[in-house]
């Protein structure tokens, strides 16, 4: 905590410096907000550094910190806190997430700041006396929340890699909470969708205090005070101090779920990232308790084995091949994956060539859909046992950071901590609340992801880095619940195999199969390709059109050594840098 003590003295100076940084950042740095139309967006390039996120305020903050000489970790911490203010549907201090990063000159690292189940949680907590799921209990309200991990996560990153003072990194967020940020059209649509839930749980609250119009400014004074305390006292405030007291008071008034022991015992954990090779590119990704890394590496291996590069992009054969291997990976996810501190995960077996070759034996070059009912999780020898947000940062010192963070649904549990002004997650729904019963993303699970006190719920978040010849080539990730893994997969295929630019890749329509339900999900824009859809139906797929899949924030090193942003036009994503 030594860095925090000295911080008090610099607090006033920091406020002034940061405010000035913001005023000037938009003048000095390019900032590209992507168009909301379905037309192709223009690419945004920089030479030195770049930050891409779901909000221009966060990306500009990241770029301003990098301009000031901070590194990618400094920028990422500041961006995480700014997203907690300006993107309250997913950015958070009441949730959790994962980071995969390349610190300059060191081995890549992975940080797990995922929420965990309170000690009162148990396997049947969301079931009634007859053993049936109590509708909504794991999704809305106080009991849907896991112990938040984000503040610990940011502090871990700060202790290991930051070069700037902790409080300086939180000042930008405090400014946005105090002085407000401008609501976009998409913000207002999302707020309207959750307004009833927010009102029913909290009564009058800052998010529904008026009929918002695009361009209105939303201020969050309680959140500003919470962030000021965190700036002064670090995680001690959130897990043991005044903010902890506010969380516990909130909980005591509504069923006594998360308590002081839960908060005091929470810790973020460093994990070893998963690595694999795909057509010679090194893929560095998130291990459990995310399922993302294992599933991604499984799919990439199987696709290389099936010579995906010989199949024309977005042809019938392409969609069929990708969808068939997606089913296999999601079937394994349902059985084998969970919190590695509670179950033994057969990672090596699941990623072994032998096993994966056997998994695709029946496929050859697939020409028809295999019904999901004919697919099961593989057999392993010796085995025992839609709101989130992603941001990517690269600096000019060789550091690269990929963070996905979440409160699960939009506005999480809808619980706003009284006096604290922040929203608690509803991450408990990511557990298998009853074996074989699907969660809000249609995902099923069993024993491996059953609820236990102190256990972390299985995630699909897939923050990922790609290296080529030892140098960072791509930083990528997305929100999207179950569709996160297949969204990241499609970004890798589009760029690494089909030579697309990063923005071009984000603009491509997406599809998704997760084994169960046995449905091929497609974005609306596929409707323009009727012939293709007919042949997919003929091959045995049940097609379903759905809302946009994923909101990617990515960065690519181009062949002429510049950085290209991928800022998804499905959201208000934006890039900034120099
Ligand atoms: O950790 C997970 O996999 C989910 N809680 C992510 C939720 C999500 O991406 C919702 N956003 N669209």
């Amino acid at each position: 905590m030594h860095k925090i003590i000295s911080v008090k003295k610099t607090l006033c100076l920091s406020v002034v410096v940061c405010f000035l940084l913001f005023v000037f950042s938009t003048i000095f740095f390019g900032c590209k907000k992507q168009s909301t139309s379905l037309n192709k967006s223009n690419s945004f390039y920089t030479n030195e550094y770049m930050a891409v996120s779901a909000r221009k305020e966060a990306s500009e903050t990241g770029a301003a910190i990098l301009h000031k000489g901070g590194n990618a970790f400094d920028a990422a911490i500041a961006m995480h806190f700014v997203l907690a203010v300006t993107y309250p549907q997913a950015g958070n201090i009441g949730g959790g997430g994962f980071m995969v990063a390349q610190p300059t000159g060191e081995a890549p690292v992975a940080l797990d700041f995922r929420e965990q189940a309170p000690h009162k949680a148990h396997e049947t907590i969301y079931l009634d006396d007859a053993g049936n799921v109590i509708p909504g209990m794991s999704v809305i309200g106080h009991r849907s929340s896991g112990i938040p991990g984000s503040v610990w996560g940011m502090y871990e990153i700060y202790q290991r890699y930051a070069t700037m003072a902790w409080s300086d990194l939180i000042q930008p967020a405090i400014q946005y909470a105090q002085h407000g940020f401008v609501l976009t059209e998409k913000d207002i649509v999302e707020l309207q969708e959750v307004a009833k839930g927010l009102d029913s749980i909290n009564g009058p609250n800052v998010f529904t205090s008026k009929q918002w119009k695009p361009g209105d400014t939303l201020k969050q004074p309680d959140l500003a005070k919470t962030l000021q305390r965190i700036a002064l006292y670090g995680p001690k405030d959130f897990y043991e101090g005044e903010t902890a007291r506010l969380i516990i008071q909130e909980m005591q008034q509504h069923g006594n779920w998360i308590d002081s022991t839960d908060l005091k015992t929470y810790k973020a954990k460093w994990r070893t990232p998963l690595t694999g090779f795909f057509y010679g590119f090194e893929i560095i990704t998130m291990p459990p308790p995310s399922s993302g890394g294992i599933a991604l590496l499984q799919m990439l291996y199987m696709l290389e084995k099936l010579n995906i590069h010989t199949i024309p992009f977005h042809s019938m054969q392409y969609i069929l091949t990708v969808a068939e291997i997606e089913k296999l990976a999601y079937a394994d996810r349902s059985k084998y994956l969970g919190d590695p501190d509670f179950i033994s995960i057969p990672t090596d077996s699941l990623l072994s060539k032998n096993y994966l070759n056997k998994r695709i034996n029946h496929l050859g070059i697939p020409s028809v859909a295999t019904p999901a009912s004919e697919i099961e999780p593989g057999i392993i020898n010796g085995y025992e046992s839609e709101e989130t947000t992603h941001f990517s940062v690269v600096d000019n010192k060789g550091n690269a950071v990929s963070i996905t963070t979440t409160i699960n649904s939009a506005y999480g549990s809808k619980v706003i901590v009284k006096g604290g002004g922040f929203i608690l997650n509803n991450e408990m729904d990511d557990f298998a609340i009853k074996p074989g019963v699907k969660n809000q993303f249609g995902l099923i699970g069993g024993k491996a992801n059953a609820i236990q006190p102190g256990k972390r719920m299985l995630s699909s978040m897939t923050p990922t880095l790609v290296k080529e010849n030892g140098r960072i080539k791509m930083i990528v990730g997305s929100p999207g619940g179950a569709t996160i893994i297949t969204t990241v997969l499609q970004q890798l295929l589009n760029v690494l195999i089909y030579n697309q630019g990063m923005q071009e890749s984000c603009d491509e329509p997406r599809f998704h199969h997760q084994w169960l339900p046995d449905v091929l999900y497609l974005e609306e824009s596929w409707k323009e390709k009727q012939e293709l859809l007919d042949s997919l139906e003929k091959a045995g797929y049940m097609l379903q059109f759905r809302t946009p899949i994923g909101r990617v924030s990515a960065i690519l090193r181009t062949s002429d050594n510049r950085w290209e942003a991928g800022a998804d036009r499905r959201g208000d994503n934006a890039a900034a840098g120099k």
Side-chain angles (χ1 to χ4, degrees):
M1 291 273 174
H2 65 280
K3 289 193 194 175
I4 290 184
I5 296 161
S6 65
V7 150
K8 261 190 177 174
K9 298 179 195 153
T10 56
L11 195 60
C12 292
L13 186 64
S14 311
V15 174
V16 177
V17 170
C18 285
F19 195 67
L20 289 175
L21 265 174
F22 287 112
V23 174
F24 291 119
S25 64
T26 36
I27 301 167
F28 285 128
F29 310 113
C31 183
K32 173 89 187 152
K33 183 181 166 307
Q34 302 304 320
S35 123
T36 50
S37 81
L38 288 179
N39 300 326
K40 298 282 177 206
S41 338
N42 293 329
S43 297
F44 175 66
Y45 298 94
T46 65
N47 291 312
E48 287 188 45
Y49 53 77
M50 185 179 274
V52 189
S53 76
R55 293 296 302 204
K56 80 176 169 54
E57 294 87 349
S59 301
E60 285 171 358
T61 298
I65 297 247
L66 295 168
H67 182 70
K68 213 179 154 191
N71 66 20
F73 295 98
D74 293 311
I77 295 166
M79 289 171 77
H80 195 291
F81 282 108
V82 168
L83 287 166
V85 178
T86 60
Y87 198 58
Q89 48 271 62
N92 67 83
I93 55 173
F98 300 125
M99 172 181 80
V100 172
Q102 173 63 66
T104 182
E106 291 177 29
V109 292
L111 180 66
D112 162 9
F113 53 100
R114 181 74 162 161
E115 302 92 326
Q116 65 187 38
H119 69 88
K120 291 192 190 92
H122 56 81
E123 217 170 309
T124 56
I125 187 89
Y126 299 109
L127 307 183
D128 63 18
D129 291 344
N132 298 317
V133 170
I134 302 169
M137 189 177 164
S138 65
V139 181
I140 189 159
H142 298 72
R143 286 204 168 211
S144 65
S145 298
I147 308 163
S150 290
V151 176
W152 252 121
M154 292 310 105
Y155 195 68
E156 277 293 331
I157 300 171
Y158 164 74
Q159 279 189 307
R160 264 211 198 179
Y161 298 114
T163 63
M164 292 172 62
W166 172 252
S167 82
D168 286 356
L169 300 176
I170 306 180
Q171 284 311 315
I174 296 173
Q175 296 299 313
Y176 281 117
Q178 268 175 350
H179 303 293
F181 71 98
V182 176
L183 290 165
T184 67
E185 237 169 80
K186 286 196 173 82
D187 290 333
I188 290 166
V189 170
E190 287 182 24
L191 257 176
Q192 282 162 350
E193 279 165 11
V194 297
K196 254 198 196 145
L198 287 172
D199 285 346
S200 71
I201 297 220
N202 305 286
N205 66 82
V206 73
F207 297 109
T208 60
S209 55
K210 60 183 266 200
Q211 290 280 343
W212 301 105
K213 299 182 305 303
D216 282 350
T217 297
L218 173 61
K219 296 182 186 173
Q220 298 167 79
D222 285 345
L223 180 55
K225 281 186 224 142
T226 300
L227 291 168
Q228 272 165 339
R229 286 193 302 273
I230 294 172
L232 271 178
Y233 306 115
K236 217 171 168 52
D237 167 70
F238 192 91
Y239 294 93
E240 294 183 55
E242 173 62 9
T243 304
R245 192 188 66 74
L246 293 171
I247 296 172
I248 293 157
Q249 178 178 287
E250 177 74 41
M251 288 289 163
Q252 280 169 344
Q253 285 165 8
H254 299 92
N256 228 356
W257 179 235
I258 295 173
D259 66 16
S260 61
T261 315
D262 290 323
L263 291 172
K264 265 189 204 144
T265 48
Y266 183 86
K267 292 281 174 292
K269 297 176 183 179
W270 292 98
R271 310 247 182 218
T272 307
L274 292 172
T275 53
F277 285 87
F278 177 61
Y279 285 91
F281 295 101
E282 188 180 356
I283 313 295
I284 304 160
T285 186
M286 193 66 209
S290 179
S291 61
I294 289 181
L296 182 68
L297 293 179
Q298 284 190 316
M299 293 191 291
L300 290 173
Y301 176 82
M302 291 188 277
L303 287 172
E304 185 168 352
K305 192 78 192 164
L306 292 168
N307 290 318
I308 187 72
H309 68 284
T310 61
I311 303 176
F313 183 63
H314 280 188
S315 61
M316 151 76 181
Q317 189 63 53
Y318 173 92
I319 294 177
L320 213 140
T321 307
V322 175
E324 290 304 300
I325 61 97
E326 288 178 350
K327 289 184 202 171
L328 297 170
Y330 278 78
D332 279 357
R333 179 195 194 278
S334 73
K335 177 165 176 185
Y336 293 115
L337 304 187
D339 182 344
D341 296 337
F342 282 72
I343 59 157
S344 135
I345 298 178
T347 305
D348 291 348
S349 308
L350 287 168
L351 294 178
S352 81
K353 289 184 180 168
N354 223 346
Y355 171 73
L356 292 169
N357 290 344
K358 274 194 218 139
R359 288 290 273 159
I360 48 175
N361 255 352
H362 70 288
L363 284 180
I365 290 289
S367 57
V368 289
T370 309
S373 56
E374 288 174 23
I375 293 175
E376 285 192 352
I379 295 172
I380 284 174
N381 294 332
Y383 173 69
E384 290 148 28
S385 104
E386 212 149 319
E387 281 285 332
T388 296
T389 191
H390 179 86
F391 59 98
S392 297
V393 195
V394 69
D395 63 23
N396 55 8
K397 304 168 175 72
N399 300 294
V401 178
S402 185
I403 290 183
T404 315
T405 183
T406 188
I407 42 177
N408 204 14
S409 305
Y411 293 83
S413 62
K414 317 293 182 285
V415 174
I416 308 166
V417 173
K418 210 177 174 89
F422 60 94
I423 295 159
L424 289 174
N425 67 84
N426 62 342
E427 222 71 57
M428 291 298 286
D429 189 60
D430 273 350
F431 278 116
I433 54 173
K434 182 179 175 181
V437 171
K438 55 185 199 268
N439 74 359
Q440 64 171 313
F441 303 113
L443 292 166
I444 58 159
K447 204 76 197 153
N449 190 29
I451 303 171
Q452 282 177 259
K455 190 174 176 184
R456 298 182 183 200
M457 50 299 275
L458 185 62
S459 172
S460 302
M461 293 187 286
T462 316
T464 297
L465 302 174
V466 179
K467 279 164 91 174
E468 184 182 26
N469 301 325
R471 290 201 314 171
I472 287 292
K473 165 92 177 161
M474 196 195 294
I475 307 158
V476 63
S478 177
T483 67
I484 292 174
I485 318 171
T486 55
T487 296
V488 171
L489 173 73
Q490 287 170 80
Q491 299 314 299
L492 297 188
L493 293 175
N494 296 356
V495 172
L496 303 179
I497 302 302
Y498 296 96
N499 293 319
Q500 294 188 354
M502 201 66 254
Q503 189 57 48
E504 187 186 1
S505 165
C506 288
D507 292 344
E508 289 291 351
R510 299 189 182 124
F511 61 94
H512 170 77
H513 205 304
Q514 62 184 50
W515 174 50
L516 291 173
D518 195 356
V519 167
L520 179 63
Y521 294 100
L522 298 153
E523 290 186 315
E524 293 282 333
S525 53
W526 288 100
K527 282 186 178 161
E528 289 159 18
K529 300 194 171 182
Q530 195 50 50
E531 230 175 272
L532 175 69
L533 301 177
D534 290 344
S535 37
L536 285 167
E537 267 180 332
K538 250 193 222 141
Y541 286 104
M542 167 114 65
L543 307 184
Q544 195 169 310
F545 295 97
R546 53 153 284 168
T547 50
I549 295 175
R551 283 184 180 187
V552 171
S553 290
I555 301 174
L556 175 71
R557 189 196 291 272
T558 60
S559 53
D560 60 354
N561 227 2
R562 291 182 297 161
W563 299 114
E564 188 201 348
D568 210 315
R569 69 206 151 101
R570 293 164 181 83
D572 290 319
N573 297 33
K578 194 179 93 170

